[in-house]
């Protein structure tokens, strides 16, 4: 499944870090996840690095579906300069209505 945790990096210094997570309930504690590398610095970088397993044009988060999550990623990059290459679906240097049209055509829900 998909999960998200927002971590306040203000108390830690600038630099490169790695983290692992695990889930727990009253009856169960999972094993640790794979290590995730991240950097704390002065600039926000919104990019998810994932292995390519799907080839659906418009699947921006690589979950083998084109849905609201992908729409949200595209909306974040809408008309911003230098979008991530995989978000610019027609490779014209900008995320605009043409990219949303491609996303809608490939929509899986």
């Amino acid at each position: 499944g998909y999960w998200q945790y927002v971590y306040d990096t203000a108390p830690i210094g600038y630099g490169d870090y790695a983290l692992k997570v695990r889930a727990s309930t009253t009856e169960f504690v999972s094993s640790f996840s794979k290590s995730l590398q991240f950097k704390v610095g002065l600039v926000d970088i919104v990019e998810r690095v994932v292995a390519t397993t799907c080839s659906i044009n418009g699947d921006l988060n690589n979950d083998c579906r084109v849905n609201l999550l992908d729409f949200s990623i595209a909306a974040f990059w809408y008309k911003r300069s230098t979008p991530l290459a995989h978000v610019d679906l027609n490779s014209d240097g900008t995320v605009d209505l043409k990219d949303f049209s491609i996303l809608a055509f490939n929509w899986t829900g």
Side-chain angles (χ1 to χ4, degrees), residues 9 14 19 57 59-60 80 85:
T9 59
Y14 296 145
L19 65 84
N57 198 8
D59 180 19
L60 304 179
R80 290 185 185 227

Side-chain angles (χ1 to χ4, degrees), residues 32-62:
F32 279 103
S33 68
K34 293 179 182 178
S35 180
L36 172 70
Q37 308 294 318
F38 68 99
K39 180 180 292 235
V40 176
L42 295 175
V43 178
D44 285 337
I45 300 172
V46 179
E47 180 176 7
R48 183 174 177 204
V49 179
V50 293
T52 302
T53 58
C54 301
S55 61
I56 303 171
N57 198 8
D59 180 19
L60 304 179
N61 67 339
N62 202 36

Side-chain angles (χ1 to χ4, degrees), residues 36-104:
L36 172 70
Q37 308 294 318
F38 68 99
K39 180 180 292 235
V40 176
L42 295 175
V43 178
D44 285 337
I45 300 172
V46 179
E47 180 176 7
R48 183 174 177 204
V49 179
V50 293
T52 302
T53 58
C54 301
S55 61
I56 303 171
N57 198 8
D59 180 19
L60 304 179
N61 67 339
N62 202 36
D63 66 354
C64 299
R65 299 179 68 183
V66 179
N67 56 23
L68 193 55
L69 291 172
D70 305 293
F71 180 89
S72 177
I73 293 167
F76 174 84
W77 287 102
Y78 183 71
K79 293 195 175 181
R80 290 185 185 227
S81 61
T82 62
L84 300 176
H86 77 281
V87 180
D88 180 12
L89 298 176
N90 66 344
S91 302
D92 67 353
T94 187
V95 175
D96 55 17
L97 189 56
K98 295 172 200 160
D99 299 287
F100 281 95
S101 177
I102 294 167
L103 194 129

Side-chain angles (χ1 to χ4, degrees), residues 3 19-25 28-35:
W3 59 272
L19 65 84
K20 293 181 182 182
V21 296
R22 64 180 172 184
S24 65
T25 65
F28 174 79
V29 176
S30 72
S31 57
F32 279 103
S33 68
K34 293 179 182 178
S35 180

